[in-house]
Amino acid sequence: MVAAMFFYPYSFTPKMAAPIGREMCRKCFSQIVQKYPLKSSISSDVLVRRLHNVPKKGLNVLRYHPKVAFSKKSQIRTFADDAGRKSRLLVLGIETSCDETGAAVVDDRGNVLGEALHSQKLVHLKHGGIVPTVAQQLHRDHIEDVVQGALDRAGLRLQDVAAIAATVKPGLALCLQIGVEYAKKLVRQSGKPFIPVHHMEAHALTARMMENIEFPFLVFLLSGGHCLLAVARGVGDFLLLGSTTDEAPGVVFDQVARKLKLKHHPACSTLSGGQAIEVLASRGDSQAFKLTVPMARYANCDFSFAGHKNQTYRLIDRKEKEEGIPADSDQIVSSVNDIAASFQKTASQHLMQRLHRAILYCQQRHIIPQHNKTLVLSGGVASNMYIRRSLQAVTDRFGYRLVCPPPRLCTDNGVMIAWAGMEWLKEGRGVAEDPEAVEFQPRCPLGVDMSTDVLNAGIKTTPKIRIPS
Ligand code: KG4
Ligand code: ZN
């Protein structure tokens, strides 16, 4: 069953506008259909306000409605506005690089017309990690429904879109294969152009869908699969300042959570490893254990999390031993909150130091103009508020604007792929000459590797920026 997928069976009158892209949540939609006549002339803002009992005056409904919260009020479209919609450029995007099967249709103004997503996260949580063959089968089982769901929700047929975009790199080979093959099938059926998309580039460009962010800007991606700092100079034009030399932070948060047996913790059983660590860390003392900040002596912007994880593992082993807890039991050490807090703080310090250097490097090399100092922060780990606050301390110090896409666009989804395809299409580039010849690439770094130049710049990150309490 495809989660988070629902359809708009009705055609609304032009007067019944809905907040574009994020549409109404399922609850609002069904209640609106039940309570109000379809030819109602009440705007959806008013309807949503009524359904959520939001007082009328002086309050912004967008703050009370999570699905609408990242929608700009100005971006209103009418569902029956077929003529207008069709005259716009539309791209269908397909994402299958890891553990989400996603599809979406976006227009050239950054409106999401329809979206569907099937997440495999719960399945992989049970396996204790992603098993590529399981992930592949789940993509295979859901891709058709997800793509059709996105088109149905947009009220469109495949023929209505200008192009089909799909993630072709980087990612898990077995997973990429499903999306690429399915996209090629649609391209054969429809004769539409095919735009192959780089997954990380799509993460970086998503923020431009909602805000006016000019190139060049700084990008920080932190997730279960990625960890990188880059400069986005244009579509398909990136400078890679640093990336992880071993593991990505999300994976390490997950592994430490597993070592701490947090799925047996009453406050954490339904949370991802990273979320569980964040919750417990907020109850703990981050000074309780002194852990070493990774790579503090390396004057580059690369990352390492494996050593930090092993040090935390050793700490957990020691504490379990002191308390006589067998490693294979469900029992959790009493200092779990302090361990989580110390682990999270040290990881944050590592991220802060790398960002600090990246900003100084851009300053030294005049890469980011004074009037456009912007950092786009994205990825599942970026939803950690402690980490976000820590990184904001760095951006604040240098007068950078920090832009974080809303959580559901930070994690993998079809919207970001559709939008990346749109960015290429708008520039009249990126369309595959021979769609059948497009191959997926499990490994593919983002942009030009600048890591040696960063190191050679010999940039010191003193004085250290403190994490706000
Ligand atoms: O971007 P994402 O949803 O997908 C993949 O990378 O596939 O990131 C998922 C990762 C998981 O490892 C999860 O533990 C981590 O992001 N994560 C967090 C938090 N929420 C999710 N890590 C730290 N703190 C969080 N609040
Ligand atoms: Zn991703």
Side-chain angles (χ1 to χ4, degrees), residues 87-309:
S87 66
R88 280 185 242 156
L89 208 51
L90 306 177
V91 171
L92 167 69
I94 301 175
E95 157 63 28
T96 63
S97 69
C98 191
D99 55 358
E100 319 273 1
T101 317
V105 181
V106 303
D107 73 8
D108 49 357
R109 297 180 205 166
N111 299 317
V112 182
L113 273 66
E115 185 193 358
L117 186 73
H118 174 262
S119 175
Q120 310 175 354
K121 287 216 156 47
L122 285 177
V123 178
H124 298 311
L125 204 62
K126 282 188 205 135
H127 285 95
I130 297 175
V131 181
T133 47
V134 174
Q136 184 186 43
Q137 189 56 45
L138 288 167
H139 284 305
R140 194 178 279 129
D141 292 346
H142 292 281
I143 190 151
E144 191 162 350
D145 282 351
V146 166
V147 171
Q148 195 53 50
L151 286 167
D152 286 347
R153 288 182 65 187
L156 295 166
R157 294 160 309 134
L158 189 56
Q159 284 307 328
D160 298 325
V161 304
I164 298 165
T167 308
V168 304
K169 59 190 174 185
L172 296 171
L174 294 179
C175 300
L176 287 169
Q177 187 191 354
I178 301 295
V180 173
E181 279 177 3
Y182 195 80
K184 283 184 188 175
K185 189 176 111 181
L186 296 182
V187 166
R188 275 195 301 276
Q189 271 173 14
S190 63
K192 298 286 173 183
F194 180 33
I195 305 177
V197 169
H198 190 298
H199 180 87
M200 319 285 212
E201 171 166 338
H203 269 303
L205 295 177
T206 308
R208 281 167 47 87
M209 211 175 96
M210 283 147 309
E211 293 206 28
N212 184 16
I213 303 170
E214 278 171 33
F215 295 115
F217 58 90
L218 203 51
V219 180
F220 204 169
L221 298 182
L222 293 169
S223 74
H226 338 300
C227 184
L228 62 83
L229 265 165
V231 178
R233 295 197 301 185
V235 177
D237 181 6
F238 284 75
L239 301 177
L240 185 63
L241 305 185
S243 56
T244 183
T245 55
D246 41 51
E247 291 169 285
V251 166
V252 171
F253 270 74
D254 292 338
Q255 290 168 338
V256 168
R258 221 171 297 140
K259 179 88 178 160
L260 283 168
K261 305 165 186 165
L262 297 189
K263 73 172 177 198
H264 303 295
H265 194 291
C268 305
S269 56
T270 58
L271 303 181
S272 72
Q275 288 167 325
I277 299 264
E278 183 178 8
V279 167
L280 297 190
S282 68
R283 306 170 182 179
D285 173 9
S286 62
Q287 314 287 347
F289 302 107
K290 181 127 187 61
L291 298 168
T292 315
V293 178
M295 299 183 84
R297 287 169 197 277
Y298 291 83
N300 59 19
C301 287
D302 284 340
F303 303 84
S304 168
F305 293 93
H308 181 40
K309 173 182 78 180

Side-chain angles (χ1 to χ4, degrees), residues 421-443:
M422 181 62 78
E423 291 258 29
W424 281 98
L425 195 65
K426 283 204 284 190
E427 295 205 350
R429 301 188 291 140
V431 171
E433 275 179 27
D434 178 3
E436 288 302 325
V438 173
E439 288 184 357
F440 59 86
Q441 280 173 257
R443 286 174 179 277

Side-chain angles (χ1 to χ4, degrees), residues 255-413:
Q255 290 168 338
V256 168
R258 221 171 297 140
K259 179 88 178 160
L260 283 168
K261 305 165 186 165
L262 297 189
K263 73 172 177 198
H264 303 295
H265 194 291
C268 305
S269 56
T270 58
L271 303 181
S272 72
Q275 288 167 325
I277 299 264
E278 183 178 8
V279 167
L280 297 190
S282 68
R283 306 170 182 179
D285 173 9
S286 62
Q287 314 287 347
F289 302 107
K290 181 127 187 61
L291 298 168
T292 315
V293 178
M295 299 183 84
R297 287 169 197 277
Y298 291 83
N300 59 19
C301 287
D302 284 340
F303 303 84
S304 168
F305 293 93
H308 181 40
K309 173 182 78 180
N310 290 331
Q311 203 185 17
T312 312
Y313 274 14
R314 286 196 295 277
L315 172 63
I316 298 167
D317 286 339
R318 180 157 60 84
K319 287 286 148 194
E320 285 189 337
K321 211 167 164 194
E322 278 172 21
E323 295 183 26
I325 298 173
D328 57 1
S329 75
D330 293 351
Q331 220 184 321
I332 298 174
V333 283
S334 61
S335 48
V336 59
N337 295 351
D338 292 346
I339 296 175
S342 305
F343 165 79
Q344 181 178 264
K345 179 182 134 204
T346 307
S348 300
Q349 287 172 324
H350 180 39
L351 299 172
M352 287 171 81
Q353 195 200 25
R354 288 9 240 176
L355 175 61
H356 189 162
R357 178 168 291 113
I359 289 177
L360 290 175
Y361 173 77
C362 290
Q363 202 169 294
Q364 196 188 82
R365 297 282 197 262
H366 306 289
I367 294 175
I368 308 266
Q370 279 296 317
H371 69 271
N372 196 42
K373 293 198 285 186
T374 304
L375 172 72
V376 170
L377 173 63
S378 190
V381 180
S383 58
N384 181 306
M385 293 316 289
Y386 180 90
I387 291 178
R388 212 181 265 199
R389 270 203 316 277
S390 306
L391 297 177
Q392 178 137 31
V394 182
T395 52
D396 284 354
R397 168 70 64 88
F398 294 102
Y400 266 65
R401 169 169 70 129
L402 178 64
V403 179
C404 305
R408 72 181 248 282
L409 290 185
C410 272
T411 56
D412 294 349
N413 61 81

